[in-house]
């Protein structure tokens, strides 16, 4: 069985590097588990010192950018602070939203409970905004596009939970941990359910693209991270069965 690499390179120059990280890998050191595997530590073995300018969740796959020097780090950090970076995520959720687009602006408090989850807190929470778009319904699932305008920890997951939705296989914000299996979505499936391997058994959230200005040239650049093997297999099967594909949006 082929092992999923920790990362693949989307873009690399003297000032920045953009990586497509696998699910299950931290972007930078975590205060709760300082010895957990990290993307920056792995990539620094190949590319030298890297400067983190943003984070995505450990269980989220997809686009991560690092600066390669102090000047680039400063310039990129300002863009993230000023919210001029456009971030697009794709996620597969359980159920069917009753809307086509929705903006959620509930204030969020990171580390708000004993499980270190982000919680809704109108008094102590920080301003948080996420724009959601329904891409399409696939039987028991729906594909969503999420555009977070702020960068709170677990923002997309917490905002979805606040409106009664959960991402497939979310270990923190969903009571439904059931993986995606072909036998559950394909009417004529003749395999053995005892030996069937799930199509997807991890958090179905992917940082699909980043759009920002290059820290040295000022050129507006957009970087796109292809789905990992498990999420891509799920996309293909759902597209074949239900005719809904996140890559063919109108």
């Amino acid at each position: 069985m082929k092992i999923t690499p920790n990362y693949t390179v989307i873009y690399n120059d003297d000032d920045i590097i953009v990586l497509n990280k696998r699910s299950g890998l931290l972007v930078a050191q975590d205060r709760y588990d300082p010895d957990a595997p990290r993307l920056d530590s792995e990539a620094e073995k190949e590319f030298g010192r890297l400067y983190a300018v943003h984070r995505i969740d450990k269980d989220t796959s997809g686009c991560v950018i690092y600066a390669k020097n102090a000047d680039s780090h400063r310039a990129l950090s300002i863009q993230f602070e000023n919210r001029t970076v456009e971030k697009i995520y794709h996620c597969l959720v359980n159920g069917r939203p009753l809307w086509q687009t929705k903006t959620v602006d509930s204030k969020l408090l990171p580390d708000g409970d004993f499980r270190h989850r982000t919680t809704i807190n109108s008094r102590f929470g920080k301003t948080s905004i996420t724009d959601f778009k329904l891409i399409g319904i696939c039987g028991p699932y729906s594909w969503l596009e999420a555009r977070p305008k702020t960068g709170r920890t677990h923002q997309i997951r917490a905002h979805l939970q606040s409106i009664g939705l959960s991402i497939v296989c979310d270990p923190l914000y969903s009571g439904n941990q059931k993986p995606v299996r072909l036998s559950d979505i394909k009417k004529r499936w003749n395999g053995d359910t005892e030996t069937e391997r799930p199509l997807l058994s991890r958090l179905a959230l992917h940082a699909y693209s980043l759009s920002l200005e290059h820290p040295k040239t000022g050129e507006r650049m957009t970087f796109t991270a292809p789905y990992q093997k498990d999420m891509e297999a799920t996309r293909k099967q759902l597209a074949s069965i239900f005719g809904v594909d996140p890559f063919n949006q109108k």
Side-chain angles (χ1 to χ4, degrees), residues 13-184:
D13 65 20
D14 292 338
D15 299 287
I16 61 174
I17 186 166
V18 185
L19 304 176
N20 185 1
K21 93 167 184 75
R22 69 167 175 83
S23 173
L25 197 64
L26 291 170
V27 169
Q29 187 170 11
D30 183 88
R31 57 179 169 165
Y32 303 113
D33 189 0
D35 299 321
R38 291 161 42 192
L39 176 62
D40 57 349
S41 297
E42 291 298 315
E44 282 178 344
K45 297 175 185 177
E46 183 176 359
F47 300 103
R49 184 176 179 184
L50 301 177
Y51 299 74
V53 293
H54 72 124
R55 294 173 182 251
I56 64 175
D57 298 344
K58 172 186 174 182
D59 295 325
T60 302
S61 58
C63 225
V64 179
I65 186 169
Y66 291 99
K68 298 178 79 173
N69 53 64
D71 288 341
S72 295
H73 178 248
R74 189 178 308 108
L76 289 175
S77 296
I78 289 172
Q79 291 187 61
F80 278 95
E81 289 171 8
N82 292 339
R83 303 178 187 174
T84 60
V85 178
E86 182 180 58
K87 298 167 283 185
I88 299 177
Y89 289 73
H90 287 175
C91 57
L92 188 67
V93 301
N94 296 297
R96 303 183 175 199
L98 299 178
W99 40 260
Q100 291 297 315
T101 61
K102 192 173 187 67
T103 296
V104 182
D105 59 2
S106 302
K107 291 185 177 181
L108 297 177
L109 180 65
D111 199 11
D113 66 12
F114 72 97
R115 296 184 67 189
H116 306 300
R117 291 181 297 189
T118 295
T119 57
I120 305 296
N121 191 311
S122 59
R123 183 177 180 185
F124 299 109
K126 296 181 179 180
T127 298
S128 308
I129 304 169
T130 311
D131 292 333
F132 292 103
K133 177 183 175 182
L134 174 62
I135 297 173
I137 295 169
C138 305
Y141 308 111
S142 298
W143 283 111
L144 300 183
E145 175 188 277
R147 295 178 182 242
K149 305 302 182 184
T150 49
R152 310 304 178 202
T153 301
H154 297 176
Q155 177 173 315
I156 294 172
R157 299 159 72 180
H159 269 169
L160 282 174
Q161 185 190 49
S162 75
I163 57 173
L165 292 170
S166 62
I167 299 174
V168 169
C169 294
D170 190 331
L172 284 177
Y173 296 87
S174 173
N176 182 0
Q177 297 299 301
K178 189 177 181 180
V180 179
R181 297 180 184 275
L182 191 57
S183 59
D184 291 332

